[in-house]
Amino acid sequence: MDYLEQLNPSQYEGVVNTEGPTMLIAGAGSGKTRVLTFRIAHLIKAKDVDPFSIMALTFTNKAAKEMRERVEHVVGSDARNIWMGTFHSVFARLLRGRDRGTRLGYSQNFTIYDVDDAKTIIKQVVKEMGLDETVYKPNVVYNRISAAKNQLISWQAYLANGELMADDASNLRPEMGRIYKTYQERCFKADAMDFDDILFNTDKLLKDHLDVLNELQQRFKYLLIDEFQDTNLCQYSIVRKIASAYRNICVVGDDAQSIYGFRGADITNILNFERDYPDLKMFKLEQNYRSTQNIVNAANSVIKRNRAQIPKNVWTANEQGNQIELIKALSDNEEGRLVASSIFEEKMQHQLKFSDFAILYRTNSQSRAMEESLRRLNIKYKIVGGLSFYQRKEIKDLLAYMRFVLNHNDEAAFRRIINLPKRGIGDTSVDKLILGANDQGASIWDVLQDPKHFVTGRTIGAIDEFVTLIKRFELEVGRKDAYDAAFDIAKGSGLMKELYEDKTVEGLSRYENVQELLNAIKEFVEDPEKEDKSLSAFLQDVALVTGQDEDKDRDPDKVTLMTIHMAKGLEFKYVYIVGLEEDLFPSQMMLSSRADLEEERRLFYVAITRAQKKLYLSYAITRYRFGRLKNCEKSRFIDDIDPGYIKMSTKYSSMESSPVSSGYARTLVQGIKKTVSSQPLKPKATAYKPPVDFKPSDNALLREGMKVEHPKFGFGKVEKMDFSGPDKKAKIIFDDFGEKTLLLSFAKLKIHE
């Protein structure tokens, strides 16, 4: 068959051996997507397997779409019948279908809460319980609850676990279990599941309802899991249950690229897979088609230092390539200038595009110095992992209206839209309504139908009008497709009118964003592959969009800036890994155990293997962190690379005698030499240029310790709040401008928690 002729011997074995438990260890750039898609195609075309009996799971909609298109290219339209998608999208579909979710007490139209929705509910629960919001921060609580669900620990099991309760007490958060309980009860009452609930409830359904488990076991005779090293205990538990009847489970992954431990990914799933399936067939895809020999060999020399791994020998037949170049900078700002200069020169010398370049860093905060330097040289760039389209306020507002029309119990959506546009219903009235519903054991919709017991005056009339509006929308949704229903809601709610009347640049942008959302819904309705054209189906698609699924840049020729975690699965001709310093990369938070340090090393391995042609590494000997200039030590990971594959860049390294050394750099060198003095020399700061979408936050939300951005002074940290006297003030230590005391009635600050 034609498609089999495109495979190397290892890939061929991985495709044609379709029966029984199989593990494909796929080294970086080894063509795993090709093997996975050809394996699915081979099942259908050569083995005559019914596409409806194949389940293929991955981690992004983008990856699932690419796989489906490749399979369809080989087998035709039958590929559309495969149950293929992300873990969350496939299992949400299962829960909605055939009233399976109703077995657990949910309706078919249950709402899916995104992370922001979940944190909003958590914040409200903490407030209602009278707990300290600075101790029980939504992000901390959410992560704790998420970790529990990933480990299949229900709130009941959590409260009964003495070790967990003791751990919470030692961290001065003894009420964590009670918050978990209340949060889950609140979500259930709202007929809503967060992302983790989709998986947790699927596992619970299969465990508690054996007829459902048997049905799915008989239906899905072949299971394929992509990026298996990124699965958590809950995900593995689900697929093991479904695959247990026919045992045709194929997992594809690379233990060397397991980098999501902080999200609950469990590397032991792939390391111990053979223990669970002793009759396992293992095939290793070791030929790298992406990178030069020098880059592949350098990556191998790094990862071999990890103890916990499946042995493999990644190799390539590609050209030898250049040595890795190491850039040593005097400061983080100097590092940005040297990297930007290198990109500019490489592009001009080799007739490259800006899109051939990527700058990878450990934390998002490192992008600032890079952005400033790129702007100075007029180099176009994009940041991946910033505020996504579906997280913008105006988009979330309209989506919340749609959600509440479909699910009247959705508390997060209700809070968002009840006074939007303004209808005279304040926060106090909203709190009374929700507390009333909780006290009465009623739904928020029940309370809205008869609000006079909880609110008074004109608020009652405003609520009645709101209820009438929602009921009208509900009737329209029942007889219209997603686009017509969404347009009716956007117009009838008054949101479009309010945005249209705002003639500022920001207002125009928000109005255009709403139009773009309606365009997306139109595309959804007109997509021939979408059988269900309802608004409910569209909202499920949107709720499960991942960060990598939204890359629709109209001008793709830009340098890409992103964290290494975001870069996984991508490749670029030229890659710059910046900030290679101890306590930054490896992160200071990942040095407490060998397991954590090995995950950091795997992260470095992933970064190296994104490069196709040339790789640069850079570090600074001083860096501003939390408002203070600190001396830095070169990362241990640089020394992990075999010396034969790396060289110091003389062209792009700051030395006193170097022609690229600026007056700023020389001044800084002199300052460093005077470290015996009490205060390190601070460089003269250049004016900060805020991003185009800079929008100040509400200063009432400002707290000590918060990270902020100022349109003139750039990034800083709130050192002290002063509420004495007639004006509230904040003392802020800015990265480049030092200490400033600002009057909050005038200061324009954007909060970055």
Side-chain angles (χ1 to χ4, degrees):
M1 296 183 180
D2 291 346
Y3 60 91
L4 295 178
E5 295 174 4
Q6 302 175 37
L7 304 170
N8 68 35
S10 298
Q11 292 174 334
Y12 177 88
E13 293 298 325
V15 167
V16 300
N17 286 279
T18 57
E19 305 306 302
T22 307
M23 182 157 70
L24 302 175
I25 298 299
S30 63
K32 75 173 178 63
T33 304
R34 168 182 285 189
V35 175
L36 190 56
T37 53
F38 282 6
R39 184 182 175 92
I40 296 170
H42 193 69
L43 283 169
I44 298 170
K45 197 163 184 177
K47 302 286 186 175
D48 199 28
V49 173
D50 184 354
F52 284 102
S53 68
I54 300 172
M55 179 185 287
L57 301 169
T58 187
F59 280 85
T60 68
N61 293 306
K62 185 177 180 181
K65 183 174 183 289
E66 180 186 352
M67 283 167 54
R68 189 184 299 277
E69 288 172 350
R70 289 197 189 189
V71 175
E72 190 169 350
H73 182 71
V74 179
V75 304
S77 59
D78 268 355
R80 299 176 188 178
N81 299 327
I82 302 165
W83 277 62
M84 182 181 291
T86 65
F87 281 88
H88 292 93
S89 65
V90 168
F91 295 137
R93 181 181 172 189
L94 280 174
L95 288 171
R96 290 190 196 277
R98 296 195 180 182
D99 295 327
R100 296 186 190 95
T102 60
R103 304 278 194 105
L104 303 175
Y106 295 87
S107 75
Q108 276 190 306
N109 282 330
F110 66 81
T111 296
I112 298 174
Y113 279 167
D114 66 16
V115 175
D116 284 345
D117 295 325
K119 289 179 182 177
T120 298
I121 300 298
I122 288 169
K123 189 173 183 179
Q124 190 62 28
V125 167
V126 169
K127 181 180 178 183
E128 290 173 9
M129 290 174 68
L131 300 173
D132 188 339
E133 295 177 38
T134 62
V135 174
Y136 294 96
K137 294 179 181 178
N139 194 49
V140 173
V141 177
Y142 174 82
N143 288 336
R144 184 70 165 174
I145 293 173
S146 175
K149 291 176 187 174
N150 288 338
Q151 292 294 316
L152 295 173
I153 300 171
S154 65
W155 66 260
Q156 294 94 334
Y158 193 103
L159 286 171
N161 189 309
E163 188 177 341
L164 288 173
M165 300 302 285
D167 186 52
D168 287 338
S170 68
N171 287 313
L172 304 180
R173 299 189 186 97
E175 299 295 337
M176 194 71 82
R178 199 157 62 94
I179 296 172
Y180 182 9
K181 173 181 183 289
T182 309
Y183 168 73
Q184 286 306 120
E185 291 174 341
R186 189 69 60 83
C187 289
F188 184 75
K189 185 179 173 184
D191 194 22
M193 298 186 199
D194 63 24
F195 290 157
D196 297 307
D197 285 328
I198 292 172
L199 303 178
F200 185 90
N201 286 331
T202 299
D203 187 77
K204 180 177 173 58
L205 180 72
L206 299 181
K207 184 169 58 179
D208 295 348
H209 298 274
L210 297 181
D211 59 324
V212 176
L213 175 59
N214 182 62
E215 173 214 338
L216 298 181
Q217 285 175 338
Q218 296 306 313
R219 175 187 292 192
F220 298 113
K221 298 183 170 105
Y222 292 86
L223 274 78
L224 301 97
I225 299 97
D226 190 20
E227 303 287 5
F228 185 63
Q229 76 281 349
D230 295 335
T231 56
N232 58 39
L233 176 64
C234 185
Q235 289 163 329
Y236 186 32
S237 175
I238 294 168
V239 296
R240 279 196 74 185
K241 286 183 177 74
I242 297 175
S244 61
Y246 289 92
R247 301 182 79 252
N248 293 321
I249 179 171
C250 174
V251 301
V252 184
D254 181 8
D255 57 293
Q257 296 185 65
S258 178
I259 60 173
Y260 294 119
F262 67 97
R263 291 184 191 167
D266 188 349
I267 191 174
T268 61
N269 287 349
I270 192 167
L271 294 178
N272 298 335
F273 191 68
E274 191 170 9
R275 185 186 306 168
D276 296 332
Y277 295 94
D279 55 338
L280 173 74
K281 295 193 290 284
M282 183 189 294
F283 303 101
K284 296 181 181 179
L285 310 180
E286 296 173 309
Q287 183 174 356
N288 179 300
Y289 291 93
R290 175 188 299 154
S291 308
T292 64
Q293 291 180 28
N294 203 77
I295 292 170
V296 169
N297 292 338
N300 286 343
S301 69
V302 167
I303 203 63
K304 74 179 182 182
R305 296 178 181 269
N306 274 8
R307 291 183 185 177
Q309 62 175 294
I310 297 171
K312 66 186 79 66
N313 180 36
V314 179
W315 61 278
T316 184
N318 293 341
E319 63 181 338
Q320 183 68 39
N322 296 303
Q323 284 181 296
I324 295 168
E325 291 201 37
L326 180 61
I327 296 174
K328 178 181 178 181
L330 291 164
S331 72
D332 48 346
N333 286 334
E334 180 84 337
E335 180 186 38
R337 281 196 288 274
L338 294 173
V339 168
S341 298
S342 173
I343 290 173
F344 185 83
E345 190 167 329
E346 293 281 13
K347 178 185 184 296
M348 301 307 289
Q349 279 188 353
H350 303 291
Q351 291 78 52
L352 300 167
K353 297 181 292 186
F354 283 131
S355 57
D356 292 329
F357 296 86
I359 301 174
L360 309 181
Y361 34 75
R362 181 64 178 82
T363 64
N364 278 307
S365 61
Q366 292 171 253
S367 73
R368 181 191 58 81
M370 298 295 150
E371 288 184 73
E372 290 179 1
S373 299
L374 292 170
R375 282 201 296 265
R376 287 193 190 100
L377 292 180
N378 292 319
I379 295 175
K380 295 180 291 184
Y381 67 89
K382 63 178 179 181
I383 297 180
V384 176
L387 189 65
S388 74
F389 178 79
Y390 288 106
Q391 293 299 316
R392 290 171 181 161
K393 180 184 181 302
E394 60 276 12
I395 300 303
K396 295 203 75 170
D397 290 344
L398 182 49
L399 291 175
Y401 259 102
M402 298 177 196
R403 281 168 38 187
F404 195 72
V405 169
L406 289 167
N407 175 10
H408 299 334
N409 297 320
D410 187 338
E411 181 185 326
F414 164 73
R415 279 188 173 276
R416 194 169 191 101
I417 67 173
I418 183 61
N419 200 36
L420 192 73
K422 300 285 185 186
R423 49 175 63 91
I425 305 173
D427 290 343
T428 302
S429 296
V430 173
D431 288 342
K432 286 179 179 177
L433 291 166
I434 291 176
L435 285 172
N438 293 335
D439 291 343
Q440 299 298 316
S443 71
I444 187 65
W445 185 246
D446 292 335
V447 169
L448 291 175
Q449 307 271 11
D450 189 14
K452 63 179 179 293
H453 301 290
F454 309 100
V455 294
T456 58
R458 287 180 293 180
T459 304
I460 295 174
I463 290 173
D464 288 341
E465 289 178 9
F466 174 76
V467 168
T468 302
L469 182 69
I470 296 300
K471 286 180 176 178
R472 181 174 76 77
F473 290 153
E474 187 177 15
L475 288 172
E476 297 299 321
V477 166
R479 54 179 181 240
K480 292 180 176 179
D481 65 26
Y483 174 77
D484 290 334
F487 185 83
D488 187 54
I489 292 170
K491 187 176 179 182
S493 65
L495 287 180
M496 279 180 69
K497 181 174 183 290
E498 184 176 76
L499 292 173
Y500 180 75
E501 290 175 349
D502 183 354
K503 300 301 183 183
T504 64
V505 174
E506 295 81 5
L508 178 61
S509 175
R510 287 193 288 267
Y511 180 75
E512 289 174 346
N513 285 338
V514 168
Q515 293 293 335
E516 185 61 31
L517 174 62
L518 293 173
N519 291 340
I521 300 175
K522 189 71 172 175
E523 288 179 15
F524 173 86
V525 169
E526 293 177 350
D527 186 344
E529 293 187 17
K530 303 288 185 185
E531 294 180 16
D532 188 347
K533 311 286 186 182
S534 68
L535 189 60
S536 176
F538 173 76
L539 287 178
Q540 175 173 313
D541 269 21
V542 168
L544 299 172
V545 163
T546 64
Q548 289 190 11
D549 298 327
E550 291 192 61
D551 190 10
K552 293 184 179 178
D553 200 326
R554 292 175 184 173
D555 180 10
D557 189 23
K558 296 178 179 179
V559 175
T560 299
L561 278 68
M562 63 171 76
T563 64
I564 303 166
H565 284 101
M566 289 294 297
K568 188 163 174 291
L570 304 178
E571 58 186 41
F572 302 89
K573 288 183 179 177
Y574 285 65
V575 168
Y576 294 76
I577 307 172
V578 301
L580 276 161
E581 298 136 32
E582 286 293 301
D583 295 339
L584 184 57
F585 194 17
S587 167
Q588 188 174 19
M589 295 184 293
M590 299 292 281
L591 298 176
S592 59
S593 69
R594 175 174 295 279
D596 286 345
L597 180 60
E598 291 201 350
E599 176 154 326
E600 283 289 279
R601 188 175 282 114
R602 291 194 295 270
L603 188 62
F604 185 46
Y605 174 83
V606 166
I608 291 172
T609 54
R610 298 312 93 198
Q612 296 173 293
K613 296 292 184 185
K614 195 166 184 180
L615 176 64
Y616 282 91
L617 310 178
S618 71
Y619 70 98
I621 58 177
T622 63
R623 183 177 296 273
Y624 271 97
R625 300 194 73 186
F626 309 111
R628 291 176 174 80
L629 186 66
K630 293 188 175 182
N631 292 326
C632 303
E633 181 184 350
K634 182 179 69 171
S635 170
R636 68 189 74 186
F637 292 157
I638 294 174
D639 294 328
D640 283 350
I641 299 173
D642 189 298
Y645 307 126
I646 188 169
K647 69 175 183 179
M648 178 63 73
S649 176
T650 55
K651 199 172 189 180
Y652 300 114
S653 288
S654 259
M655 310 299 287
E656 284 185 270
S657 58
S658 170
V660 301
S661 226
S662 62
Y664 157 81
R666 286 192 296 274
T667 302
L668 189 55
V669 169
Q670 292 162 7
I672 293 166
K673 287 180 177 177
K674 295 176 183 176
T675 51
V676 290
S677 64
S678 59
Q679 187 69 32
L681 183 66
K682 183 171 181 178
K684 183 179 178 181
T686 56
Y688 177 72
K689 294 181 181 178
V692 177
D693 61 350
F694 178 90
K695 184 179 179 182
S697 304
D698 182 358
N699 284 339
L701 303 174
L702 205 63
R703 299 287 185 273
E704 289 182 5
M706 282 184 169
K707 185 177 179 182
V708 295
E709 182 182 8
H710 187 277
K712 182 178 179 182
F713 303 131
F715 288 89
K717 183 181 179 183
V718 180
E719 192 78 2
K720 185 179 180 182
M721 303 285 289
D722 184 0
F723 299 102
S724 62
D727 293 308
K728 295 180 180 178
K729 292 173 283 194
K731 184 171 84 171
I732 302 172
I733 308 294
F734 288 99
D735 295 354
D736 290 333
F737 288 83
E739 181 182 315
K740 301 283 182 184
T741 300
L742 304 180
L743 291 173
L744 296 185
S745 55
F746 296 98
K748 294 180 179 179
L749 297 168
K750 183 176 181 180
I751 297 172
H752 294 269
E753 291 187 273

